[in-house]
Amino acid sequence: MESSSSKSSKSQHGDSLFSDIPRVPEPLVYAVMAAYRRDPSPLKLNLGIGVYRTEEGKPFVLDVVRRAEKLLVNDVSACKEYLPITGIPEFNELSAKLILGADSHAIKENRVSTVQCVAGCCSLRVGAEFLAKHYHQKTIYIPQQTYSNHPNFFASAGLIVKTYRYYDPATHGLDFQGLLEDLSSMPAGSIVLLQACGHNPTGVDPTIQEWYEIRQLIRSKALLPFFDSAYQGLVSGNLEADAQSVRLFVADGGESLIAQSYSKNMGLYGERVGALIIVCKTAQVASKVESQLKLVIRPMYSNPPIHGASIVTTILKDREMYNEWRDDLKKMTDRLISMRQKLVDALHDKGKIQDISIDLYPWFSCSRISVSNFTGTPGDWSHIIREVGMYSLTGLNPEQIAFMTKEYHIYMSSDGRLNLAGLGSKTVPYLAEAIHTVVTRGGGI
């Protein structure tokens, strides 16, 4: 065994004490981003990273966000001192009302503990750490198809991560029966991760009736729901409608966790703004939970940043600015829906028009007619229209994605996830051409 003095001696002579650390690949989504940035092609198209962009593919900042920032900059009473561990109190109050509803009984009864976190990722991570320390069950079930970072949040906290059926690749839809069967077989008390709306990466959400059945089964099995709400307002275009799944669970008086993010619906990606909301049975329990959340946060990042949360607070508390934001969400959602339709139409329109001559009656010289045989892109692409939110799980495989990147400079996640928000009317035909080419090369989907 090598002595510590020997290691120290090596270090002094240029050998690192960390030389045995293995190099690991960069997380896939960031590797795709880096490759896109290095590509000099003017045709390059980034449909991998989950951000909302303009028609021209440029970063998008909401006007109402810029207005809020100007107000904050011009506020001479503002300071840059540390926030409390739990963040801006008004931000927490407004965030809880946004997802739970202003008339929520849980809020009125003080059964809600809310802490400002560093975006949705940190909200999930803080929630995972809290559960690992204070919840009796140490297993969390996540959808088989889910956000690639989800397993990391929970495994890093020491929870056991298992999966349940969610998506059916054959139908490009929800495997509802499989989902119910897996929920039924989970041990009592297990934690279940649910995406509130705009499921990433599939774009497939349960219907409201299916949510009723999911809630009933989860409550009957005494399972603990943990919601990830990253797309409120960007699925239906309505903030209230996109919160229905969460509110169903809260309305029955049971306990739930909700990780909330403002990255997508306010475009505050780099500001890292989110909240963790824990709905408890009683006000006394909520108070205890908040005290323990402080102990989780304190050694992790001590207290959250002020600027992004101040933007959110400014918008949510001002009726005029809130209404402008709400209208912006409707426009953004309408554009996403439009991109879905345009892409499917373009795929259907692809292919060659084949003129075929047919002799109706070979013995009669004037009976020869010509017909046009229209051939679109092979496969059924209607699921792209049925899906919701920012994403579509196209069904393209890693080899097809690699071909599109090499030949067309189109960058996507290797699982076939497509970010509709990265498309514009002018780039839809180009993407359709690439998909048509790669599918006809190797068969339809």
Side-chain angles (χ1 to χ4, degrees), residues 72 75 83-84 86-99 107 112 114-117 260 262 266 273-275 277 290 304 306 308-319 322:
L72 293 171
D75 183 1
L83 289 178
T86 56
I88 301 173
E90 192 173 17
F91 167 87
N92 291 336
E93 178 185 345
L94 292 167
S95 293
K97 287 181 178 179
L98 182 69
I99 188 68
I107 293 176
V112 178
T114 305
V115 293
Q116 179 190 332
C117 293
Q260 189 178 28
Y262 290 97
M266 279 197 188
V273 192
I277 299 167
E290 183 168 314
I306 192 169
S310 297
I311 294 172
V312 173
T313 304
T314 300
I315 293 171
L316 294 184
K317 72 180 182 181
D318 183 279
R319 176 53 54 183
Y322 175 86

